[in-house]
Amino acid sequence: MSEVVRTPRRFEIALDGGEVAFADYQVVGDSIVFPHTLTPKAFEGQGLASRLAQAALAYARGQGLKVRPRCAFFRAYIARRPELHDLVHPDERAALTV
Protein backbone atom coordinates (compact mmCIF):
# COMPACT_ATOMS: atom_id res chain seq x y z
CA MET A 1 0.00 0.00 0.00
CA SER A 2 1.24 3.49 -0.84
CA GLU A 3 2.42 6.17 1.51
CA VAL A 4 0.46 9.32 2.24
CA VAL A 5 1.15 12.02 -0.36
CA ARG A 6 0.25 15.70 0.00
CA THR A 7 -1.10 17.45 -3.09
CA PRO A 8 -2.24 21.10 -3.26
CA ARG A 9 -5.78 20.06 -2.17
CA ARG A 10 -5.56 16.64 -0.53
CA PHE A 11 -3.63 14.15 1.48
CA GLU A 12 -3.93 10.91 -0.51
CA ILE A 13 -3.13 7.21 -0.37
CA ALA A 14 -3.12 5.39 -3.71
CA LEU A 15 -4.87 2.03 -3.44
CA ASP A 16 -5.19 -1.06 -5.58
CA GLY A 17 -7.39 -0.75 -8.65
CA GLY A 18 -6.67 2.95 -9.07
CA GLU A 19 -8.77 3.92 -6.03
CA VAL A 20 -7.69 6.67 -3.65
CA ALA A 21 -8.35 7.36 0.02
CA PHE A 22 -8.12 11.07 0.74
CA ALA A 23 -8.55 13.95 3.16
CA ASP A 24 -9.37 17.27 1.53
CA TYR A 25 -7.83 20.40 2.99
CA GLN A 26 -7.58 24.12 2.42
CA VAL A 27 -5.14 26.55 4.00
CA VAL A 28 -6.89 29.77 5.01
CA GLY A 29 -4.65 32.33 6.69
CA ASP A 30 -3.07 30.68 9.73
CA SER A 31 -5.48 27.73 9.65
CA ILE A 32 -5.90 24.48 7.78
CA VAL A 33 -9.49 23.35 7.22
CA PHE A 34 -10.30 19.64 6.84
CA PRO A 35 -13.81 19.45 5.31
CA HIS A 36 -13.97 15.85 4.06
CA THR A 37 -12.25 12.47 4.33
CA LEU A 38 -13.08 9.46 2.17
CA THR A 39 -12.00 5.84 2.22
CA PRO A 40 -13.47 3.68 -0.56
CA LYS A 41 -15.83 1.03 0.85
CA ALA A 42 -13.64 -1.88 -0.23
CA PHE A 43 -10.79 -0.48 1.89
CA GLU A 44 -12.65 0.55 5.04
CA GLY A 45 -11.43 -0.78 8.38
CA GLN A 46 -7.76 -0.81 7.40
CA GLY A 47 -6.76 2.37 9.25
CA LEU A 48 -6.38 4.47 6.11
CA ALA A 49 -8.31 7.47 7.43
CA SER A 50 -6.17 7.40 10.58
CA ARG A 51 -3.01 7.37 8.47
CA LEU A 52 -4.32 10.35 6.53
CA ALA A 53 -5.16 12.20 9.74
CA GLN A 54 -1.73 11.49 11.25
CA ALA A 55 0.06 12.81 8.16
CA ALA A 56 -2.22 15.83 7.81
CA LEU A 57 -1.94 16.80 11.47
CA ALA A 58 1.84 16.36 11.42
CA TYR A 59 1.92 18.69 8.42
CA ALA A 60 -0.26 21.23 10.24
CA ARG A 61 2.01 21.13 13.29
CA GLY A 62 5.14 21.45 11.15
CA GLN A 63 3.70 24.47 9.33
CA GLY A 64 2.41 26.13 12.50
CA LEU A 65 -1.18 25.98 11.25
CA LYS A 66 -4.24 25.82 13.49
CA VAL A 67 -6.62 23.01 12.58
CA ARG A 68 -10.29 23.52 11.79
CA PRO A 69 -11.70 19.96 11.78
CA ARG A 70 -14.96 20.33 9.86
CA CYS A 71 -14.87 16.66 8.85
CA ALA A 72 -16.58 14.42 11.40
CA PHE A 73 -13.74 11.89 11.21
CA PHE A 74 -11.05 14.50 11.93
CA ARG A 75 -13.09 15.98 14.77
CA ALA A 76 -13.56 12.54 16.39
CA TYR A 77 -9.93 11.53 15.77
CA ILE A 78 -8.64 14.67 17.48
CA ALA A 79 -11.23 14.54 20.28
CA ARG A 80 -9.95 11.09 21.34
CA ARG A 81 -6.36 12.38 21.51
CA PRO A 82 -5.88 15.20 24.04
CA GLU A 83 -2.26 15.60 22.93
CA LEU A 84 -3.62 17.00 19.64
CA HIS A 85 -6.06 19.51 21.11
CA ASP A 86 -3.45 22.28 21.04
CA LEU A 87 -3.50 22.05 17.23
CA VAL A 88 -7.16 22.99 17.01
CA HIS A 89 -8.08 26.61 16.41
CA PRO A 90 -9.34 28.12 19.70
CA ASP A 91 -12.70 28.93 18.05
CA GLU A 92 -13.28 25.21 17.42
CA ARG A 93 -11.97 23.52 20.58
CA ALA A 94 -15.37 23.47 22.30
CA ALA A 95 -16.66 21.13 19.57
CA LEU A 96 -14.13 18.49 20.66
CA THR A 97 -15.96 17.79 23.89
CA VAL A 98 -19.46 17.59 22.48
Side-chain angles (χ1 to χ4, degrees), residues 16-96:
D16 293 338
E19 300 232 49
V20 177
F22 64 87
D24 288 331
Y25 76 91
Q26 182 179 12
V27 175
V28 180
D30 67 346
S31 298
I32 186 167
V33 180
F34 293 104
H36 183 64
T37 303
L38 178 95
T39 300
K41 287 233 181 264
F43 297 92
E44 288 179 352
Q46 298 179 26
L48 297 173
S50 292
R51 285 181 52 205
L52 290 165
Q54 290 166 1
L57 295 170
Y59 175 79
R61 189 175 296 284
Q63 298 298 307
L65 297 168
K66 288 298 181 187
V67 173
R68 292 183 179 269
R70 304 286 164 75
C71 166
F73 177 82
F74 265 75
R75 198 168 32 257
Y77 183 89
I78 294 168
R80 290 189 308 267
R81 294 165 177 82
E83 70 275 13
L84 297 175
H85 290 190
D86 67 303
L87 280 173
V88 177
H89 193 283
D91 293 348
E92 308 223 4
R93 285 187 188 147
L96 296 176

